[in-house]
C-alpha cells in the first residue's frame, strides 16, 4: 500500500496515531517500523519520545476498540467470513489466525488482553476474541493500554538506542533484527509469567 509507505516516510504525531490505529485493526502495518524510527529521530531532537509513545498508545487503543466493538456486535460467523474473504486475505487474515487468537484468549482469560499485546501474531487480533466474549470494555481498555504502552516503550527504547550505533540507511534492517530477538524474549517471559500464575492458582485451590 503506497499511501502507508508515504506515511511511514513522513512520521509525525498524527501519522503515528493513524498508523498505530491501523496496526491494531486488521491492516498489516508493522508497529516496529512506526515507533522505533520515530524514536530514532526523537534522539535528534526532532520529536518528543514521550509524545511518540502517547500517540502510538492512543492509536493502538482506538484500533483495538474498533476490533472489539465490531466483534462484539457482529459475532463470530461474520468475523470468520471476513477473515476468509479476499479482503481478509489481503490483510493477512484467515480463520486459523482468528481461531488461534481465540484459543489464546480462552486459555489465559482476560489477562490475555494484556499479554497478547506483546506477542507477535496475536498482538493485533487479541481484541477480536475480547469482543466476541463480551468482555467488559473498561477492563479491556485498561489491559490494552498497559500492554500496548509497554510494547511502545520497548520499541521507542530500541529506536533511541539504535540512533547511537546505526546509520539511518541501515535502520530498517537493524529494527527487524532486534525486534525479532525482543519478540522471542517477550514470548519467553510471558510464558514463564503465565506458568507461574497457573501454578500459584492451582496451589491456592488445592489448599
Amino acid at each position: 500500500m503506497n499511501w502507508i509507505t508515504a506515511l511511514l516516510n513522513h512520521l509525525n504525531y498524527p501519522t503515528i496515531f493513524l498508523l498505530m490505529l491501523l496496526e491494531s485493526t486488521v491492516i498489516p502495518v508493522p508497529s516496529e517500523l512506526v515507533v522505533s524510527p520515530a524514536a530514532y529521530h526523537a534522539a535528534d531532537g526532532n520529536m518528543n519520545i514521550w509524545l511518540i509513545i502517547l500517540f502510538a498508545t492512543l492509536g493502538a487503543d482506538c484500533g483495538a476498540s474498533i476490533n472489539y466493538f465490531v466483534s462484539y456486535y457482529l459475532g463470530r460467523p461474520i468475523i470468520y467470513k471476513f477473515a476468509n474473504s479476499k479482503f481478509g486475505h489481503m490483510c493477512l487474515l484467515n480463520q486459523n489466525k482468528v481461531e488461534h487468537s481465540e484459543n489464546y484468549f480462552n486459555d489465559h482469560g482476560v489477562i490475555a488482553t494484556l499479554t497478547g499485546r506483546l506477542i507477535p501474531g496475536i498482538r493485533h487480533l487479541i481484541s477480536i476474541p475480547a469482543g466476541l466474549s463480551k468482555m467488559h470494555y473498561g477492563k479491556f481498555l485498561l489491559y490494552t493500554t498497559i500492554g500496548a504502552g509497554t510494547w511502545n516503550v520497548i520499541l521507542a527504547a530500541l529506536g533511541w538506542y539504535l540512533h547511537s550505533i546505526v546509520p539511518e540507511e541501515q535502520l530498517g534492517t537493524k529494527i527487524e533484527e532486534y525486534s525479532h530477538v525482543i519478540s522471542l524474549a517477550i514470548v519467553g517471559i510471558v510464558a514463564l509469567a503465565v506458568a507461574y500464575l497457573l501454578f500459584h492458582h492451582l496451589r491456592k485451590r488445592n489448599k
Side-chain angles (χ1 to χ4, degrees):
M1 299 182 182
N2 292 333
W3 60 274
I4 291 181
T5 302
L7 289 175
L8 287 171
N9 291 332
H10 298 85
L11 287 175
N12 52 45
Y13 302 123
T15 58
I16 290 169
F17 173 86
L18 176 60
L19 289 168
M20 292 301 291
L21 183 153
L22 296 175
E23 189 266 348
S24 287
T25 55
V26 295
I27 307 298
V29 180
S31 55
E32 298 90 338
L33 298 182
V34 179
V35 180
S36 293
Y40 184 95
H41 292 297
D44 283 329
N46 296 322
M47 301 179 74
N48 183 293
I49 193 167
W50 299 111
L51 289 179
I52 290 170
I53 294 169
L54 174 63
F55 278 90
T57 303
L58 289 175
D61 281 346
C62 290
S65 294
I66 291 172
N67 273 3
Y68 171 90
F69 284 116
V70 168
S71 303
Y72 189 103
Y73 289 108
L74 295 185
R76 185 173 286 100
I78 294 179
I79 294 299
Y80 278 19
K81 185 175 181 180
F82 170 75
N84 290 323
S85 69
K86 184 176 181 180
F87 183 72
H89 291 164
M90 288 174 60
C91 295
L92 306 181
L93 274 183
N94 56 53
Q95 184 171 327
N96 183 60
K97 288 184 177 180
V98 178
E99 288 177 343
H100 182 55
S101 66
E102 278 199 88
N103 291 336
Y104 182 85
F105 185 89
N106 294 332
D107 289 344
H108 300 93
V110 293
I111 197 68
T113 308
L114 190 159
T115 59
R117 296 294 312 184
L118 304 173
I119 298 177
I122 295 291
R123 183 179 305 121
H124 66 298
L125 297 178
I126 196 62
S127 50
I128 293 176
L132 292 175
S133 70
K134 313 294 186 188
M135 180 181 180
H136 187 275
Y137 179 68
K139 186 178 290 186
F140 164 79
L141 186 60
L142 173 63
Y143 287 158
T144 298
T145 301
I146 296 172
T150 301
W151 178 241
N152 290 329
V153 167
I154 292 171
L155 292 181
L158 173 62
W160 189 278
Y161 165 72
L162 289 177
H163 180 269
S164 63
I165 63 170
V166 174
E168 188 169 0
E169 59 270 16
Q170 297 178 15
L171 181 60
T173 301
K174 286 297 180 181
I175 286 175
E176 292 181 8
E177 178 184 324
Y178 278 82
S179 61
H180 179 68
V181 174
I182 290 171
S183 296
L184 290 177
I186 289 175
V187 169
I189 292 170
V190 169
L192 288 173
V194 170
Y196 171 78
L197 292 174
L198 180 61
F199 172 77
H200 183 72
H201 173 72
L202 293 174
R203 186 179 179 183
K204 186 177 180 180
R205 188 175 67 176
N206 290 335
K207 285 184 177 181

